[in-house]
Amino acid sequence: MNIQPVIGVSGCLTGSAVRFDGGHKRMAFVMEALALVVAFKPICPEVAIGLPVPRPALRLVKAREGEIRMRFSHAPHDDITEKMADFAAGYVSRNDELSGFIVCAKSPCCGMERVRLYDEMGNRGRKEGVGLFTGALLEKYPWLPVEEDGRLHDPVLRENFVERIFALHELNTLRANGLSRRALLNFHSRYKLQLLAHHQAGYREIGPFVASLHKWEDLDSFFVAYREKLMAILKKPASRKNHTNVMTHIQGYFRNQLNARQRGELRDVILRYRDGVLPILAPLTLLKHYLAEYPDDYLLTQNYFNPYPEYLALRLAVN
């Protein structure tokens, strides 16, 4: 198993000149920050099926029967839908080690959402399509963190995506090392506060499922079901309200160690975060300080404090 998460990425986002016009869409965050903590697996599906650079533009066409086809804009009868579908099916079947994928927005091949559709007469339709390659990826791996380059400019979506990458990587590593009930329970225990910050209802629902682990004879079947539930919870961005509840809960672990002034200061910092006056780093830094001063065996295991490499500094941009 790779030490770093393996991330698929549309080749143009790495700076490779593989776009239809011979250009690229190099993304600084991908190549200058994320590249230091993950292993990228670039792919341009259009080039992979043998199309040249440069090449005529492709588009998604909604046929009269409602089927979505991939055709060249200058030659609407030149259809490469099956060729792309066959490539995508083969690719996704060979790459189940991925911990995430970054795709190029608006692309008829790689777009994740709101890809322009055309009718058979060439008229522009609604932006409601999904690129053929990305559609196959999402169908095969519904739990996989997938994001578009444009959406990753949003600090909340960016942090959420990276957080999910490292959670899935840890889960995949656990499986690669050999599943055991103890390892699965320990993993879930480490993620309890993190799950609570993302979705309280999901946290409450997954608890009884994990408690049923002793009834499962096939641990891999449990793993598959657990992975889908875990990643669905983490896909919901953590809210200010949920973060506040989690940090207030953590504060309770220090009630016997802190004096009245310290307890009041900590409570005030958490509430000022809740009210939008302070960034999340303020209460988290104070809580981590007290955890270093007064170690707690349970809190020290919690992934909530460091869900991804601190180097990325993603929480600096998240309120």
Side-chain angles (χ1 to χ4, degrees):
M1 190 73 189
N2 290 280
I3 296 176
Q4 293 182 322
V6 178
I7 307 300
V9 60
S10 293
C12 59
L13 302 180
T14 68
S16 295
V18 293
R19 283 175 57 78
F20 75 96
D21 58 1
H24 62 78
K25 290 184 66 178
R26 185 182 187 276
M27 189 175 184
F29 170 70
V30 169
M31 299 310 298
E32 296 168 15
L34 201 55
L36 299 179
V37 293
V38 306
F40 281 124
K41 195 168 187 177
I43 181 73
C44 174
E46 295 179 18
V47 171
I49 64 171
L51 299 183
V53 179
R55 57 186 173 274
L58 290 165
R59 61 174 50 166
L60 294 183
V61 177
K62 189 172 185 178
R64 292 185 179 90
E65 301 79 12
E67 186 181 9
I68 303 300
R69 310 295 298 178
M70 177 178 278
R71 297 172 180 168
F72 288 102
S73 58
H74 78 300
H77 299 295
D78 198 350
D79 191 304
I80 61 169
T81 308
E82 278 71 31
K83 193 171 187 178
M84 180 59 72
D86 289 345
F87 168 76
Y91 179 92
V92 298
S93 67
R94 298 189 304 270
N95 286 278
D96 59 356
E97 86 284 6
L98 295 176
S99 295
F101 213 109
I102 304 173
V103 297
C104 180
K106 302 179 182 179
S107 163
C109 175
C110 295
M112 187 180 78
E113 61 180 19
R114 294 177 54 77
V115 178
R116 175 80 68 184
L117 297 180
Y118 292 79
D119 66 18
E120 292 187 311
M121 302 300 293
N123 299 311
R124 290 159 60 94
R126 294 182 177 180
K127 294 181 179 180
E128 56 184 20
V130 176
L132 294 193
F133 175 80
T134 300
L137 188 71
L138 293 170
E139 183 176 3
K140 178 72 173 179
Y141 305 125
W143 63 86
L144 185 70
V146 179
E147 270 297 357
E148 292 184 332
D149 56 321
R151 284 168 52 91
L152 287 178
H153 290 295
D154 182 312
V156 173
L157 296 179
R158 178 185 293 191
E159 191 213 17
N160 178 262
F161 175 67
V162 173
E163 186 179 345
R164 287 186 286 143
I165 284 173
F166 282 90
L168 182 56
H169 175 63
E170 184 179 352
L171 194 58
N172 287 340
T173 301
L174 184 151
R175 187 190 205 181
N177 291 339
L179 295 175
S180 70
R181 286 179 171 80
R182 179 182 292 275
L184 286 163
L185 290 172
N186 286 343
F187 176 93
H188 183 70
S189 178
R190 291 197 304 276
Y191 275 78
K192 282 186 174 180
L193 295 183
Q194 197 168 339
L195 293 173
L196 192 58
H198 280 264
H199 193 234
Q200 293 188 25
Y203 168 82
R204 290 191 293 270
E205 290 171 7
I206 200 173
F209 175 77
V210 174
S212 73
L213 175 58
H214 67 281
K215 299 178 182 178
W216 290 68
E217 294 184 8
D218 185 350
L219 290 185
D220 202 65
S221 293
F222 174 88
F223 173 90
V224 169
Y226 176 74
R227 175 180 59 192
E228 189 157 353
K229 293 178 183 294
L230 177 87
M231 299 310 294
I233 295 172
L234 293 179
K235 190 174 182 179
K236 300 179 183 296
S239 67
R240 186 183 297 274
K241 177 182 177 181
N242 286 350
H243 272 308
T244 299
N245 290 339
V246 169
M247 290 188 288
T248 301
H249 175 70
I250 295 170
Q251 179 185 19
Y253 282 82
F254 304 116
R255 60 180 175 272
N256 295 327
Q257 288 86 5
L258 305 184
N259 59 39
R261 179 192 61 78
Q262 290 171 320
R263 289 195 298 270
E265 178 188 46
L266 181 54
R267 181 175 62 252
D268 181 62
V269 171
I270 293 174
L271 292 179
R272 289 170 72 194
Y273 159 73
R274 181 200 65 184
D275 295 337
V277 177
L278 293 176
I280 192 171
L281 270 183
L284 273 178
T285 300
L286 194 52
L287 287 169
K288 289 167 77 171
H289 166 74
Y290 286 133
L291 182 56
E293 289 289 318
Y294 310 108
D296 177 88
D297 290 341
Y298 172 70
L299 291 182
L300 286 171
T301 69
Q302 290 304 295
N303 204 60
Y304 176 75
F305 292 103
N306 296 290
Y308 43 76
E310 194 172 39
Y311 154 82
L312 294 172
L314 297 179
R315 281 174 168 163
L316 284 173
V318 176
N319 293 326

